[in-house]
Amino acid sequence: MNSLEQQISTLAKAAVKALYGVEADDGQIQLQKTRPEFEGNITLVVFPFVKMARKAPAQVAAEIGEWLMANGEELIAKYNAVQGFLNLSISDAFWIDQLKAIDADEHYGHFEQPSEKALPFRKGEGVGSPLMMVEYSSPNTNKPLHLGHVRNNLLGYSIAQIQEANGWKVVKTNIVNDRGIHICKSMLAWLKFGNGETPESSGKKGDHLIGDYYVRFDKEYKAQIAELMAAGKDEETAKREAPLMLEAQEMLRKWEANDPEVRALWARMNEWVYAGFDETYRRMGVSFDKIYYESNTYLEGKSEVEKGLASGVFYRREDGSVWADLTQDGLDEKLLLRSDGTSVYMTQDIGTAKLRFQDYPIDKMVYVVGNEQEYHFKVLSILLDRLGFPFGKELVHFSYGMVELPNGKMKSREGTVVDADDLMDKMVEDAREISKDKVNTLQGITAEEADEIARKVGLGALKYFILKVDPRKNMLFNPAESIDFNGNTGPFIQYTYARIRSVLRKAESLQPSAVSSQLDPKELNLIQRLCEYPSIVRTAGDDFSPAVICNYAYALACDFNSFYHDLSILNESDTQKKALRLLLSANVAKVLCSAMALLGIEMPERM
RNA sequence: GGUCCGGUAGCUCAGCUGGAUAGAGCAACAGCCUUCUAAGCUGUGGGUCUCGGGUUCGAAUCCCGACCGGAUCACCA
């Protein structure tokens, strides 16, 4: 609730008290933005008072309207009552004050402290902002990043920005799954079929090179299975006994036993992958404050499980495997250590949590991981809590939906993936193509500037396309249809910004003190929109939803374009009106830029 | 089968803490550039908000029940 809503709310309560002698509670004060087809800015829904007034809704609305006009201290300029809706027109002076306040606030829309709703269990104990750790990306090191990872990375990065704006100290982290059978598969295929190929020798990006051998492994493995089945084995047996699989498993055992050769190869190939990932991350514009590797955390997890075993949180079965009993919580029993003593995913996550908590005073832990792992995180939350991690019980699994292709899910091994690097290339290329038609507006720019614009716009289109969808929902990506640059898109918002910047470049300095005191409806509408921004940031933070920011930025850009179309800024002869429009435009640009920054989208000065 | 999530225009999606005649974009059609960037603006057509009950002044929104789609319930990650 912003200050206007607060003021109206207080006045409305007083009106109800004075007119009908009843104390209205907060839940009965329902305010909404007035629909465009009616006159007014803010609307009070009076249905809740109809019973206590024992009058027709329209009459109640009119009575409250009259009272507010008489007692509203010039805040309310006009009112009209339509059925049970009381539409209030707020005075121009109020809006102009709001605009000046927004202009004066360098960090408009950013908060010092998290909202009440988001406050953690350690409330008040620490000094300064509470700390939120956001884990995202978390790739396997056997293949390059694809569109699914892109959604994860963009959501994770954006959520981190949004929470920072909401007053959290945020640590972005990445847990790299750098060990396991999948990496061994790539390693083995490379040894057998690679002929010593390196990123340098082939010119391939390291992660792509490794990914190629992962696919190669699968191909050869399937051939062996087919061979065994042709020789009379059933499928299960063939899968289990295929020589390549046995070799890969042997390699994993050697890795766990610290075999120097296997470890050296593993380290070398992982380095190739990291170099490739770094490039993709840099291009995507995401970053991390701290990176953990599972090869370093899984042993920590084992010892945590041992401790839990000693303290009776877990139990050991006859075959030596270790389990947690979650039946009290309505869940199953969960394996933590296999009978051969090796760790599972859950074990590693416990170990990672331990190290993280040693490294940072975490108040809130957020895992950005797909919705197929909801059960896993439900269990992890309970286990961390039982093991005594303060953030365990309230950990947030920021669960998002899959990215689907027209023919279904993406599968790395089957090659039905949209590669992250290719996709970014394509987007930037498309942006460059489109801007070629705009030579008249972009004349005189250097090749570097043109590259920068294409990069920002192409990536902006991609990021907005992904982030505007409610994270919880599955989303569809059709590679055959290119992502739009018109309509409800990133470039639309960037274009709006570039237009404003162009106007501001041509204008003299801003003079907030010399603005007009009269507002055109389009101007008022824009100011009102700007006023919504802080509460939008709060909602996006509380709900973990970059989509909320997207919707807002789009609405703001729409409002501005309508204003821009109807009213002249630089050619306005009334200097006070001109000053107001410049001030307004500058602040729309500021808020658009701020909102897009929360999405990780950069704004071009011209396009 | 149990649990969780989703179903809104031809397509992609908003709206969901109950409020006025359910909104955008794309696609289709018709207009607007001698004037601050036309990646823009304006208009037209397009809906059984999956279905059936219930709650109430009022339901796309809340509750119950179907149906459809997805995820998950591994000594996988």
Side-chain angles (χ1 to χ4, degrees):
Chain A
M1 187 181 279
N2 60 36
S3 68
L4 175 63
E5 285 170 349
Q6 225 129 41
Q7 286 182 55
I8 303 278
S9 173
T10 305
L11 283 169
K13 280 187 211 167
V16 170
K17 179 89 192 294
L19 292 166
Y20 312 119
V22 185
E23 298 279 356
D25 59 52
D26 285 331
Q28 289 174 304
I29 305 293
Q30 292 178 39
L31 293 170
Q32 52 185 276
K33 198 169 179 175
T34 304
R35 289 177 147 257
E37 58 266 36
F38 300 99
E39 190 181 5
N41 317 130
I42 189 160
T43 294
L44 177 71
V45 182
V46 303
F47 288 109
F49 318 123
V50 165
K51 259 187 194 149
M52 54 181 84
R54 287 187 223 183
K55 289 173 183 164
Q59 194 186 346
V60 174
E63 285 178 1
I64 296 175
E66 269 311 312
W67 193 94
L68 291 177
M69 286 292 284
N71 301 279
E73 295 170 16
E74 297 183 4
L75 177 65
I76 293 149
K78 286 193 270 187
Y79 78 90
N80 66 84
V82 181
Q83 298 168 53
F85 300 92
L86 174 59
N87 303 318
L88 303 167
S89 297
I90 306 303
S91 73
D92 287 354
F94 173 86
W95 294 118
I96 287 165
D97 283 349
Q98 294 292 304
L99 177 59
K100 287 179 179 170
I102 291 167
D103 183 62
D105 186 349
E106 258 185 83
H107 303 288
Y108 181 60
H110 286 232
F111 296 86
E112 296 284 324
Q113 286 291 321
S115 69
E116 289 285 322
K117 203 174 157 188
L119 274 177
F121 58 94
R122 267 179 27 143
K123 182 177 176 178
E125 279 179 30
V127 180
S129 298
L131 189 143
M132 178 187 286
M133 180 174 269
V134 179
E135 174 197 297
Y136 71 100
S137 200
S138 311
N140 290 353
T141 57
N142 63 323
K143 53 177 186 273
L145 271 31
H146 60 62
L147 183 53
H149 299 111
V150 173
R151 190 178 194 189
N152 178 298
N153 281 281
L154 297 181
L155 283 171
Y157 182 80
S158 177
I159 282 300
Q161 302 311 304
I162 289 168
Q163 298 301 351
E164 217 161 75
N166 270 286
W168 290 88
K169 187 191 291 180
V170 175
V171 176
K172 303 190 294 288
T173 188
N174 188 356
I175 171 77
V176 179
N177 188 1
D178 60 346
R179 62 173 284 279
I181 190 72
H182 45 285
I183 285 105
C184 291
K185 289 178 183 174
S186 288
M187 286 159 62
L188 188 64
W190 183 85
L191 278 178
K192 285 192 174 304
F193 314 111
N195 298 316
E197 182 181 12
T198 67
E200 292 75 27
S201 75
S202 63
K204 276 186 199 163
K205 214 160 146 275
D207 50 339
H208 288 262
L209 189 150
I210 300 299
D212 290 346
Y213 285 101
Y214 186 66
V215 172
R216 181 66 184 268
F217 177 93
D218 199 58
K219 190 181 149 205
E220 302 287 344
Y221 175 48
K222 283 203 171 116
Q224 289 188 347
I225 293 170
E227 217 171 288
L228 288 172
M229 285 171 72
K233 307 256 186 189
D234 65 79
E235 190 176 349
E236 283 302 304
T237 313
K239 279 185 176 171
R240 207 171 46 240
E241 294 181 356
L244 269 177
M245 184 55 82
L246 295 177
E247 278 186 80
Q249 283 164 349
E250 175 57 20
M251 191 178 253
L252 181 60
R253 271 188 291 278
K254 281 185 176 171
W255 184 92
E256 297 227 358
N258 268 316
D259 178 277
E261 261 180 55
V262 171
R263 284 288 180 137
L265 176 64
W266 171 76
R268 187 175 175 214
M269 291 182 73
N270 267 343
E271 282 312 313
W272 295 346
V273 172
Y274 298 149
F277 283 172
D278 284 349
E279 199 180 320
T280 305
Y281 286 144
R282 190 169 40 74
R283 189 107 190 275
M284 216 182 295
V286 304
S287 58
F288 304 95
D289 303 303
K290 175 78 181 175
I291 297 178
Y292 292 89
Y293 298 90
E294 264 178 14
S295 55
N296 292 329
T297 67
Y298 82 105
L299 291 174
E300 199 67 47
K302 280 192 188 180
S303 71
E304 275 304 296
V305 171
E306 295 294 343
K307 269 192 241 166
L309 199 53
S311 65
V313 178
F314 308 131
Y315 69 93
R316 195 187 291 278
R317 286 189 183 167
E318 280 180 10
D319 63 4
S321 57
V322 176
W323 296 75
D325 183 356
L326 299 165
T327 48
Q328 284 177 331
D329 296 276
L331 302 173
D332 273 332
E333 299 184 326
K334 187 76 191 173
L335 177 87
L336 291 163
L337 289 177
R338 296 190 187 97
S339 49
D340 65 3
T342 57
S343 65
V344 293
Y345 187 35
M346 190 65 72
T347 327
Q348 295 165 17
D349 262 353
I350 292 170
T352 309
K354 164 117 195 272
L355 289 180
R356 284 170 170 164
F357 198 60
Q358 277 174 7
D359 294 342
Y360 298 93
I362 298 171
D363 294 295
K364 195 158 196 159
M365 185 68 218
V366 178
Y367 296 86
V368 181
V369 179
N371 60 11
E372 76 272 17
Q373 291 191 30
E374 269 165 15
Y375 183 74
H376 173 81
F377 283 99
K378 203 175 278 183
V379 173
L380 181 65
S381 173
I382 295 166
L383 294 185
L384 288 179
D385 185 55
R386 288 192 191 171
L387 288 168
F389 291 92
F391 60 79
K393 201 162 193 171
E394 294 187 45
L395 73 79
V396 175
H397 173 205
F398 176 35
S399 160
Y400 62 91
M402 301 285 98
V403 181
E404 288 167 343
L405 301 176
N407 47 357
K409 281 184 74 172
M410 287 185 279
K411 296 209 173 79
S412 289
R413 273 178 297 197
E414 294 170 20
T416 57
V417 292
V418 175
D419 179 75
D421 295 317
D422 293 347
L423 182 58
M424 287 193 282
D425 285 344
K426 169 86 163 68
M427 294 305 298
V428 174
E429 206 176 290
D430 287 356
R432 184 173 284 118
E433 265 322 295
I434 290 169
S435 66
K436 274 186 186 156
D437 302 335
K438 322 284 170 192
V439 277
N440 48 338
T441 60
L442 290 175
Q443 59 191 334
I445 61 168
T446 65
E448 286 83 36
E449 283 171 324
D451 285 347
E452 261 304 274
I453 292 167
R455 186 185 67 78
K456 286 179 180 173
V457 172
L459 284 174
L462 174 61
K463 291 180 179 186
Y464 189 89
F465 175 81
I466 287 173
L467 292 175
K468 78 170 175 181
V469 179
D470 183 337
R472 289 172 305 163
K473 294 189 178 177
N474 288 354
M475 64 179 292
L476 184 81
F477 176 79
N478 187 347
E481 295 169 14
S482 51
I483 293 175
D484 266 309
F485 287 78
N486 297 321
N488 186 357
T489 66
F492 170 88
I493 296 164
Q494 291 171 318
Y495 178 72
T496 306
Y497 176 81
R499 272 177 148 183
I500 299 175
R501 298 300 300 166
S502 173
V503 169
L504 294 176
R505 275 194 298 273
K506 291 174 182 166
E508 319 85 81
S509 59
L510 299 177
Q511 293 175 292
S513 55
V515 302
S516 165
S517 58
Q518 296 255 304
L519 289 177
D520 181 276
K522 299 270 179 183
E523 295 166 342
L524 190 153
N525 184 46
L526 255 186
I527 297 173
Q528 187 171 11
R529 184 72 72 187
L530 287 175
C531 289
E532 294 168 7
Y533 185 53
S535 65
I536 293 291
V537 173
R538 275 298 197 217
T539 304
D542 289 343
D543 297 352
F544 285 83
S545 181
V548 168
I549 302 289
C550 289
N551 290 341
Y552 173 77
Y554 178 63
L556 178 57
C558 284
D559 287 346
F560 181 83
N561 283 323
S562 168
F563 156 84
Y564 179 89
H565 181 264
D566 290 4
L567 303 172
S568 184
I569 302 167
L570 297 175
N571 297 328
E572 172 57 52
S573 53
D574 183 323
T575 55
Q576 291 200 349
K577 280 189 181 173
K578 184 174 172 182
L580 176 96
R581 287 174 194 169
L582 281 169
L583 185 69
L584 184 50
S585 301
N587 283 283
V588 170
K590 179 171 85 176
V591 172
L592 283 178
C593 196
S594 163
M596 293 295 262
L598 297 181
L599 304 172
I601 297 176
E602 298 172 79
M603 294 295 229
E605 291 299 304
R606 57 183 78 208
M607 66 186 272

